[in-house]
């Protein structure tokens, strides 16, 4: 799952991950993404932190995920322009990537994590369009 409100970045990540063989779902809305992942948990989440005004923000999503007995094992890869790595890791992120980074870097980190966890790579990316 990719949760990102920057449509251009989200499309770039989506194409890169799909090219690497991942099944990707995309969400622009943090709230909608969180509802979807509760009903259909992905193998991994790429999480933008600064989402649209009035939306459920990335830090809140990460905090809620890691506080949930059903969802806390999903690896979360924070994708942000600000270097707040310590905060992201302390809240439970598996890895923290500072923008701009090469999409191939993200797919490699996700693949390594999923393979070490015995997963196949179903990733949810939030919908940019309604």
């Amino acid at each position: 799952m990719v949760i990102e409100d920057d449509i251009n970045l989200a499309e770039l990540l989506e194409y890169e991950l799909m090219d690497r063989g991942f099944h990707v779902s995309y969400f622009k809305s943090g709230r909608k993404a969180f509802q979807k992942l509760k009903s259909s948990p992905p193998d991994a989440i790429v999480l933008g932190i600064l989402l649209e005004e009035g939306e459920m923000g990335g830090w809140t999503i990460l905090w809620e995920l890691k506080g949930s007995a059903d969802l806390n094992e999903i690896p979360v890869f924070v994708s942000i322009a600000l270097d707040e790595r310590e905060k992201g890791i302390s809240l439970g992120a598996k890895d923290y990537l500072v923008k701009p980074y090469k999409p191939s870097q993200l797919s490699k980190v996700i693949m390594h994590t999923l393979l070490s966890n015995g997963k196949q790579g179903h990733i949810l990316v939030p919908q940019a369009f309604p």
Side-chain angles (χ1 to χ4, degrees):
M1 174 182 281
V2 174
I3 305 170
E4 174 63 62
D5 67 346
D6 180 332
I7 295 171
N8 294 326
L9 177 60
E11 287 179 353
L12 181 67
L13 295 175
E14 184 175 15
Y15 293 135
E16 165 68 21
L17 294 170
M18 290 175 68
D19 191 49
R20 299 286 181 159
F22 291 107
H23 175 263
V24 181
S25 299
Y26 166 72
F27 291 89
K28 183 177 181 180
S29 163
R31 201 169 314 285
K32 288 179 183 176
F34 195 76
Q35 290 171 352
K36 177 66 175 177
L37 69 89
K38 287 192 299 187
S39 65
S40 182
D43 288 341
I45 298 171
V46 176
L47 180 61
I49 296 298
L50 303 174
L51 302 176
E52 288 185 356
E53 187 78 27
E55 266 300 324
M56 183 178 197
W59 293 128
T60 302
I61 292 170
L62 183 57
W63 187 79
E64 292 282 339
L65 279 171
K66 296 307 172 180
S68 168
D70 297 332
L71 305 172
N72 67 6
E73 295 297 320
I74 300 171
V76 178
F77 303 89
V78 172
S79 171
I80 186 171
L82 305 172
D83 191 356
E84 295 182 284
R85 180 178 182 77
E86 214 172 284
K87 181 176 182 178
I89 299 300
S90 71
L91 287 174
K94 178 70 177 171
D95 208 338
Y96 189 98
L97 297 113
V98 178
K99 300 174 193 173
Y101 55 85
K102 294 180 182 178
S104 60
Q105 178 185 359
L106 176 64
S107 61
K108 287 176 188 173
V109 170
I110 292 173
M111 183 61 75
H112 181 270
T113 299
L114 293 178
L115 290 175
S116 66
N117 291 346
K119 300 286 185 176
Q120 296 178 6
H122 297 285
I123 299 175
L124 179 59
V125 179
Q127 295 293 335
F129 306 100

